[in-house]
Amino acid sequence: MKLGIGATLLTMLFAALLGLLSIWFLTKNLRVMISTVNKFQEGDRTARIKNPEKSDIEVFANSFNDMADTIVSNIDKIQSVDTLRRELIANVSHDLRTPLAILKGYVETLQIKKDTLTEVQKDEYLQITHNNIDRLSNLINQLFEYSKLESEQVTPVKEPFSITELSYDLIEKFKVIAEKKQITLQMDASNENNFVYADVSMVERALQNLLENAIKYTEPNGKVTLAIKKQAKKVEINITDTGAGIPINEQPYIFDRYKQLDKSEKKRGAGLGLAIVKKIMEMRDTTITVLSKPKEGSTFSFTLPVH
């Protein structure tokens, strides 16, 4: 009986030790995973389960690593967007402040010196005031349009239309503005009437922004050309100017929201015009490219599917 009881107790003790060892080995990877999760929770964004393929819980380890990568990626995107948002607000505030200060100055001058100013001076001050109101209105409209595009509140409505006729209409529209700056605005296209399949309002807006940008940065006696070239299944549209061109180190950033260019000299904001163009192209699953050389001008190109 003593031998039996002793053997039973010894067997139970051995079984308990064996069970504890088995549980320790079986839960080893689980403890590693729990430790890694706790590190990640405490702020260590580099915490990952190493060699998941050698783990008994490979599926869970891979799932955690993928989840951690996604979370870190989303955090980086949020931080990037927040940084861009602050830069956008700062730059827009600067551009809003300038015309507002000019408006205030000339309105106060008209109020204080209204009895001593000549009619010519009054007309001049009113014209300057009107021009700055237009600047403010244009900036606010761009902000509103970009916010709608970025939040995907605008849905493209594709339809067939003549890109040739649209381009000629825009050339006529901007010809007066170009002539005021003594710039030659011309069309380069074959006699063929090219039809494309796209959202006509978005394409028109993109072309307007590109033409405005080309005219803005082209010096008097320069030239701006809108060219249409038909390819096999696409129509290529090029807007070329003979302006000062874009420095090579700044070209990757010209489509950024309100990127400030030419920091060595007087700052000139690229505004939201090119950012809106890029957003429109992204919604059409296409891209816009720029070829530019300093002092030789720039060419912006994109394609539309042939109808």
Side-chain angles (χ1 to χ4, degrees), residues 18 63 71 73 217 262 269 301:
L18 188 62
S63 297
I71 291 173
S73 176
Y217 293 112
D262 202 10
S301 303

mmCIF file of all heavy atoms in Angstrom, residues 18 63 71 73 217 262 269 301:
data_model
loop_
_atom_site.group_PDB
_atom_site.id
_atom_site.type_symbol
_atom_site.label_atom_id
_atom_site.label_comp_id
_atom_site.label_asym_id
_atom_site.label_seq_id
_atom_site.Cartn_x
_atom_site.Cartn_y
_atom_site.Cartn_z
ATOM 1 N N LEU A 18 5.368 17.775 -15.796
ATOM 2 C CA LEU A 18 5.317 17.615 -17.253
ATOM 3 C C LEU A 18 4.251 18.528 -17.851
ATOM 4 O O LEU A 18 4.453 19.152 -18.903
ATOM 5 C CB LEU A 18 5.041 16.154 -17.605
ATOM 6 C CG LEU A 18 5.145 15.778 -19.092
ATOM 7 C CD1 LEU A 18 6.569 16.015 -19.590
ATOM 8 C CD2 LEU A 18 4.751 14.330 -19.307
ATOM 9 N N SER A 63 -0.840 38.227 -38.910
ATOM 10 C CA SER A 63 -1.974 39.156 -38.837
ATOM 11 C C SER A 63 -1.615 40.383 -38.007
ATOM 12 O O SER A 63 -1.929 41.520 -38.379
ATOM 13 C CB SER A 63 -3.201 38.466 -38.229
ATOM 14 O OG SER A 63 -3.629 37.402 -39.059
ATOM 15 N N ILE A 71 -1.484 50.272 -39.323
ATOM 16 C CA ILE A 71 -1.703 51.347 -38.348
ATOM 17 C C ILE A 71 -0.612 52.413 -38.464
ATOM 18 O O ILE A 71 -0.898 53.615 -38.475
ATOM 19 C CB ILE A 71 -1.751 50.768 -36.914
ATOM 20 C CG1 ILE A 71 -3.022 49.925 -36.725
ATOM 21 C CG2 ILE A 71 -1.699 51.887 -35.869
ATOM 22 C CD1 ILE A 71 -3.075 49.174 -35.413
ATOM 23 N N SER A 73 1.269 53.046 -41.057
ATOM 24 C CA SER A 73 1.095 53.738 -42.334
ATOM 25 C C SER A 73 -0.002 54.791 -42.239
ATOM 26 O O SER A 73 0.152 55.924 -42.723
ATOM 27 C CB SER A 73 0.780 52.730 -43.432
ATOM 28 O OG SER A 73 0.514 53.382 -44.652
ATOM 29 N N TYR A 217 3.036 83.286 -65.983
ATOM 30 C CA TYR A 217 4.484 83.221 -65.849
ATOM 31 C C TYR A 217 5.226 83.403 -67.165
ATOM 32 O O TYR A 217 6.403 83.071 -67.265
ATOM 33 C CB TYR A 217 4.890 81.897 -65.194
ATOM 34 C CG TYR A 217 4.431 81.803 -63.762
ATOM 35 C CD1 TYR A 217 3.446 80.890 -63.394
ATOM 36 C CD2 TYR A 217 4.963 82.635 -62.781
ATOM 37 C CE1 TYR A 217 3.001 80.812 -62.073
ATOM 38 C CE2 TYR A 217 4.534 82.565 -61.464
ATOM 39 C CZ TYR A 217 3.555 81.658 -61.122
ATOM 40 O OH TYR A 217 3.122 81.586 -59.829
ATOM 41 N N ASP A 262 10.677 79.331 -55.536
ATOM 42 C CA ASP A 262 11.656 80.391 -55.668
ATOM 43 C C ASP A 262 11.900 81.109 -54.338
ATOM 44 O O ASP A 262 11.738 82.315 -54.216
ATOM 45 C CB ASP A 262 11.200 81.398 -56.729
ATOM 46 C CG ASP A 262 12.378 82.199 -57.276
ATOM 47 O OD1 ASP A 262 13.527 81.827 -56.960
ATOM 48 O OD2 ASP A 262 12.146 83.164 -58.003
ATOM 49 N N GLY A 269 3.586 82.162 -54.771
ATOM 50 C CA GLY A 269 2.832 80.944 -54.499
ATOM 51 C C GLY A 269 2.338 80.300 -55.772
ATOM 52 O O GLY A 269 1.817 80.963 -56.661
ATOM 53 N N SER A 301 1.623 68.288 -70.101
ATOM 54 C CA SER A 301 0.993 67.320 -71.010
ATOM 55 C C SER A 301 0.103 66.346 -70.264
ATOM 56 O O SER A 301 0.437 65.919 -69.156
ATOM 57 C CB SER A 301 2.063 66.536 -71.773
ATOM 58 O OG SER A 301 2.917 67.384 -72.488
#
